[in-house]
Amino acid sequence: MKNIKNVVYYSILTGLCVVPFIPFIVPSTMFFPFITGKGFTFRIVVEIIFGLYALLALYSPEYRPKDSWITRAVLAFTAVIFLADIFGQNPYKSYWSNYERMEGFVLTFHLLLYYIVVSSVLDISNWKKYLNLSIFASGLMSLYGIFQVLGKATINQGGVRIDATFGNASYFAIYLVVNIFLHPHK
């Protein structure tokens, strides 16, 4: 049983380590390649790690979600978004969104599942490693942007505004801003 628990636990950690590298995915054969590849990959990875997490939490109570104000806030936010989507002008679009954006309640629900897994599985030392992994991935993405500036990689939007693998300079910028503030402090 302990071996199975370890396999499931490390499989979850492996899945979590894939997430910071999802921004590198740009499948040229997909409709809206800068959005859909990342969106589908994130959803699939989250569904796999959440399924594994459910098994882990079932047999190991120490991994079950902890009650905290932030967990209650995330649950309340998700519930409010769900209600807003149901009673919105176009509930179908609010729930599913479209391929051009891949937002909607489906994304919000996947973010909730992702939150439950990371908040229940990662401890302080793993959080620091995880945040550093995200910073490392953004550093690699920044190198890609430098290659775009040097003319060694194509700028997808055209012009001089680097967009890395996001297809949009604004998306790339906010990705880097978020990662700048991820450095773990003592």
Side-chain angles (χ1 to χ4, degrees):
M1 183 66 172
K2 184 171 167 82
N3 288 339
I4 293 172
K5 177 182 163 186
N6 285 340
V7 168
V8 171
Y9 176 76
Y10 286 108
S11 296
I12 293 168
L13 290 182
T14 301
L16 288 175
C17 289
V18 168
V19 172
F21 295 96
I22 290 175
F24 290 90
I25 296 172
V26 183
S28 60
T29 58
M30 296 184 95
F31 199 49
F32 299 112
F34 297 106
I35 304 294
T36 53
K38 292 170 182 63
F40 286 133
T41 303
F42 177 74
R43 291 173 185 185
I44 291 166
V45 169
V46 167
E47 288 167 6
I48 291 169
I49 62 175
F50 187 80
L52 292 169
Y53 165 74
L55 288 174
L56 184 65
L58 184 64
Y59 293 106
S60 300
E62 67 267 21
Y63 291 110
R64 293 181 185 154
K66 317 296 186 281
D67 182 38
S68 70
W69 66 269
I70 193 163
T71 298
R72 285 180 288 199
V74 168
L75 290 170
F77 174 80
T78 304
V80 167
I81 294 295
F82 180 70
L83 291 173
D85 288 350
I86 286 174
F87 296 110
Q89 183 178 3
N90 189 341
Y92 180 83
K93 282 281 192 187
S94 296
Y95 185 79
W96 290 107
S97 188
N98 59 31
Y99 290 119
E100 187 176 5
R101 296 288 175 239
M102 292 205 66
E103 294 174 340
F105 186 75
V106 172
L107 174 64
T108 303
F109 185 70
H110 280 80
L111 290 170
L112 171 66
L113 299 179
Y114 179 70
Y115 168 79
I116 290 169
V117 173
V118 296
S119 66
S120 301
V121 171
L122 298 181
D123 59 14
I124 295 295
S125 66
N126 284 339
W127 264 110
K128 289 180 181 181
K129 291 175 189 173
Y130 192 60
L131 295 177
N132 284 330
L133 183 65
S134 183
I135 293 167
F136 174 74
S138 70
L140 291 177
M141 190 66 74
S142 297
L143 287 175
Y144 188 84
I146 290 170
F147 283 126
Q148 286 182 318
V149 168
L150 298 174
K152 304 293 182 190
T154 304
I155 297 176
N156 301 296
Q157 276 185 311
V160 295
R161 295 179 61 209
I162 61 173
D163 55 8
T165 62
F166 290 91
N168 185 315
S170 299
Y171 294 170
F172 181 44
I174 200 63
Y175 166 79
L176 293 177
V177 167
V178 167
N179 276 281
I180 286 169
F181 291 101
L182 285 183
H183 187 278
H185 299 284
K186 294 182 181 180

